Amino acid sequence: GDAVWVGVEWDEYVADGDGSVDGVVYFIAPANTASFVKPRKLDPRVSLIRAVQQRYGDGSELSDCSAGRAAIDIVLGSEAVREQQKQLSSLQVISVSRTSIHKIDALESIAREISGVRVLDLSSNLLHSLAPALALASVLPKLETLNLSSNRFSTSDVSELDRVQLSSSQLRVLALNRTRLSLETSIRAASYFRCLCELRLHGNGITYLTNVDFCALQHTKLALIDLDGNHLGEYEALLESLVPIRRSLRKLVLSNNCFESLSFRSWSSSLANVFEVLEEIDISSNPVSAECCGESVYSLRIFPALRSVRLANWESCASLSDLLPSHVGHGADKRGADDVLRELVVARHPRVVVVNGGDVVEDERKYAEKRLAQCFSEYRKDGRFSALFAQADAPDVEHVETLARTYGISLGSEGGDKRADRGYDPRSLFGKMVRLEAVHSEMCSCGQALERKHARVPLSVRIGKLKRLIFQWYRSACVSTSMVFQKGLGQEEVPLDNDLMLLSDLRLAPSTPTVTIVFGR
């Protein structure tokens, strides 16, 4: 007929043709990769309000329903869910990710249709202008989270925005991940929102901080800045740039960057104790060299309020265990680099209580402090472990000397009093540490709920102490069932009746990585 059709070759085998119809070849394509569509379907771009209406108002698809939740919605009554979602003004969470939104206009209509939204996800769309997207915060009075990630903004000029209107908005979280916006543009955009608490900028290819002025964010409440997955490599310069927001910054994410060292030009750096409220830092997955690991870990001292650290997967530290080998003071089993890094942090930073997501327990801290003092003793005698102490300043040396006196470890010459070393017995049960994992299992209306906590503990710990530790983790949980420890793929259950029994009495195999305590109602 006279109808116009357009031939399309798909990247995957999702069609049923090869470019021909009734024996007439219009174009050549592999089998099951070609189809013919109407021209109107070739431009899928829609406006924001149309995308919201299509996803929620038409009732054609349920919001935030994965395959696993769909069955539950049907049981509970999917029709009722659809009817509720049709009331757009009552929606608090709206996700229109990957719906080909290419423009944001008619702000009055948007304000009228979705006035109650608190979380708006516009990620992975076709937005090209940043200013209209940010202007949504001025017409949506309850908006707290705006996700603009994975849009390619070609027009990033935000000077036309009304600063007065935006400053009164309630926006707390702004996500500009993978937008390729420069750091200067991102900061300028964030500066419009006085209530902003989180700025997420990971995967934006940021490489330098020259001419970046964080002073524009001084009037905000910025507590978290996420710079994961960029190409930053100057650690000290980065911290100097962040000084203007030091009074509000509580969490800093610098993982997956290019930091080869986290040290400073001078240990009398002006940055010491500047970040008074920073409680959490993530510097994992950086190419920090093994030679700089001790100095880099020690540099965390400039954060007086630090309580949580993530520093796993330092790519250049594969041989890190050679710097702090486990034959110092006890057995000769090798450990991973992450375990060594964790041990260094625990020993050097008494205020840190969480490392790589795991809680630090009292026995682990004593164990780590003993090992650090023993290494310092060896360093004093023959220069071993120089990477851990060579660049440390007087306060660090004083700290380690205090630990040595506490645990009775001699720091004199090789011919010194050997009796002092008896406090660090090579045959001690402190010579073996295992990962303790507590799993709280509870039956609920949605099935079995599992909650996990983990920490590193020595084999010398008693079962009663493990119970007290788990009680601190789960105040209302009952710890009275059984202990399960893994040997390869098998499991063996041991009753927890004897509180005086040592963990070593379980006779774990040398390769046992984890001791798991399972409990519940």
Side-chain angles (χ1 to χ4, degrees):
D2 297 332
V4 177
W5 295 83
V6 179
V8 177
E9 180 180 350
W10 304 93
D11 294 333
E12 300 177 358
Y13 295 91
V14 295
D16 56 2
D18 59 1
S20 62
V21 177
D22 296 332
V24 179
V25 178
Y26 293 93
F27 66 98
I28 299 175
N32 300 322
T33 64
S35 60
F36 292 86
V37 299
K38 291 286 188 178
R40 60 182 174 83
K41 292 189 175 182
L42 292 180
D43 187 4
R45 298 178 299 174
V46 296
S47 64
L48 169 59
I49 195 62
R50 181 55 185 157
V52 173
Q53 291 171 346
Q54 287 177 345
R55 173 156 290 188
Y56 297 93
D58 295 348
S60 56
E61 81 178 271
L62 293 174
S63 164
D64 299 329
C65 287
S66 61
R69 287 186 55 191
I72 298 176
D73 288 334
I74 292 174
V75 173
L76 297 178
S78 57
E79 292 299 327
V81 175
R82 288 193 179 95
E83 288 301 321
Q84 185 178 6
Q85 288 188 349
K86 287 181 180 180
Q87 301 174 9
L88 300 182
S89 60
S90 65
L91 292 177
Q92 295 189 11
V93 179
I94 292 180
S95 176
V96 282
S97 175
R98 301 179 184 275
T99 52
S100 302
I101 299 173
H102 77 292
K103 64 179 179 179
I104 296 176
D105 54 8
L107 294 180
E108 297 81 2
S109 176
I110 293 175
R112 183 174 58 255
E113 292 283 346
I114 55 174
S115 58
V117 64
R118 294 181 181 274
V119 179
L120 181 58
D121 183 1
L122 299 176
S123 61
S124 302
N125 279 291
L126 305 176
L127 297 174
H128 58 85
S129 182
L130 179 59
L134 296 177
L136 289 171
S138 64
V139 298
L140 299 174
K142 297 182 180 181
L143 187 63
E144 297 178 353
T145 300
L146 179 60
N147 187 356
L148 301 175
S149 303
S150 299
N151 284 282
R152 292 294 183 260
F153 293 109
S154 57
T155 305
S156 56
D157 183 14
V158 294
S159 58
E160 62 190 56
L161 292 174
D162 188 332
R163 182 174 292 275
V164 175
Q165 281 189 326
L166 289 178
S167 64
S168 62
S169 74
Q170 299 301 310
L171 192 69
R172 298 179 180 275
V173 180
L174 178 60
L176 297 172
N177 306 317
R178 300 179 300 278
T179 56
R180 295 295 174 179
L181 290 173
S182 66
L183 186 57
E184 297 91 332
T185 300
S186 301
I187 292 175
R188 191 160 58 250
S191 67
Y192 283 90
F193 307 102
R194 289 186 175 274
C195 294
L196 193 67
C197 296
E198 299 183 15
L199 179 60
R200 301 187 178 275
L201 305 173
H202 66 250
N204 280 341
I206 301 171
T207 58
Y208 63 93
L209 297 168
T210 307
N211 299 325
V212 177
D213 185 11
F214 280 87
C215 292
L217 300 179
Q218 282 182 315
H219 63 280
T220 68
K221 301 178 181 179
L222 195 62
L224 181 152
I225 183 166
D226 181 359
L227 293 169
D228 170 79
N230 286 285
H231 304 295
L232 297 169
E234 299 180 9
Y235 181 67
E236 186 172 7
L238 170 65
L239 294 181
E240 289 174 347
S241 298
L242 294 176
V243 167
I245 57 173
R246 66 190 184 279
R247 300 189 186 279
S248 62
L249 189 63
R250 294 184 178 274
K251 182 176 180 180
L252 179 60
V253 181
L254 300 175
S255 51
N256 294 289
N257 275 280
C258 302
F259 298 112
E260 297 180 356
S261 173
L262 306 179
S263 57
F264 303 98
R265 293 185 295 270
S266 170
W267 284 114
S268 59
S269 172
S270 59
L271 293 172
N273 298 322
V274 168
F275 294 88
E276 302 172 352
V277 298
L278 188 72
E279 298 178 347
E280 186 174 351
I281 187 170
D282 184 350
I283 46 179
S284 55
S285 301
N286 276 286
V288 178
S289 64
E291 292 74 17
C292 297
C293 74
E295 190 176 350
S296 297
V297 169
Y298 177 64
S299 70
L300 297 174
R301 69 174 177 80
I302 70 169
F303 307 118
L306 193 64
R307 296 178 58 82
S308 178
V309 177
R310 286 188 179 272
L311 69 174
N313 302 320
W314 281 4
E315 299 170 5
S316 300
C317 292
S319 60
L320 186 57
S321 55
D322 295 333
L323 291 178
L324 192 58
S326 34
H327 67 263
V328 176
H330 51 78
D333 56 311
K334 288 287 185 179
R335 302 169 304 146
D338 290 351
D339 292 340
V340 178
L341 287 171
R342 178 184 175 93
E343 184 176 311
L344 289 174
V345 172
V346 171
R348 274 196 155 129
H349 303 284
R351 293 187 183 89
V352 174
V353 295
V354 179
V355 181
N356 294 338
D359 290 358
V360 178
V361 297
E362 180 183 358
D363 286 334
E364 179 186 8
R365 195 175 299 279
K366 291 180 178 178
Y367 166 82
E369 290 174 347
K370 281 186 177 183
R371 282 171 53 79
L372 184 65
Q374 183 70 10
C375 287
F376 191 63
S377 175
E378 299 291 337
Y379 168 65
R380 281 278 184 89
K381 293 174 183 178
D382 55 21
R384 295 172 62 196
F385 315 119
S386 59
L388 302 183
F389 305 106
Q391 302 299 323
D393 60 1
D396 182 47
V397 173
E398 182 180 350
H399 170 66
V400 179
E401 288 177 342
T402 301
L403 294 179
R405 288 193 296 270
T406 301
Y407 297 109
I409 297 174
S410 172
L411 296 180
S413 61
E414 192 167 354
D417 185 4
K418 297 296 183 180
R419 291 177 298 176
D421 286 335
R422 291 178 183 174
Y424 195 82
D425 186 358
R427 295 167 295 178
S428 170
L429 290 174
F430 280 101
K432 175 68 176 176
M433 299 278 289
V434 293
R435 183 177 185 271
L436 169 70
E437 183 177 69
V439 182
H440 182 205
S441 174
E442 182 176 0
M443 297 302 296
C444 60
S445 58
C446 297
Q448 189 178 34
L450 297 178
E451 186 177 0
R452 298 175 183 268
K453 294 270 190 177
H454 68 271
R456 287 177 59 82
V457 297
L459 290 180
S460 60
V461 69
R462 296 188 184 277
I463 298 301
K465 193 164 187 177
L466 291 183
K467 286 185 179 181
R468 291 194 297 273
L469 172 63
I470 294 173
F471 181 76
Q472 293 175 2
W473 282 344
Y474 308 97
R475 292 284 181 179
S476 61
C478 174
V479 187
S480 61
T481 53
S482 63
M483 173 177 287
V484 179
F485 63 96
Q486 300 177 353
K487 289 183 178 180
L489 298 178
Q491 292 185 349
E492 182 176 344
E493 295 189 2
V494 178
L496 288 177
D497 300 334
N498 184 3
D499 287 352
L500 297 179
M501 183 175 64
L502 299 178
L503 188 56
S504 60
D505 293 337
L506 296 176
R507 304 189 180 208
L508 304 175
S511 60
T512 301
T514 304
V515 173
T516 303
I517 293 182
V518 181
F519 58 96
R521 298 183 178 88

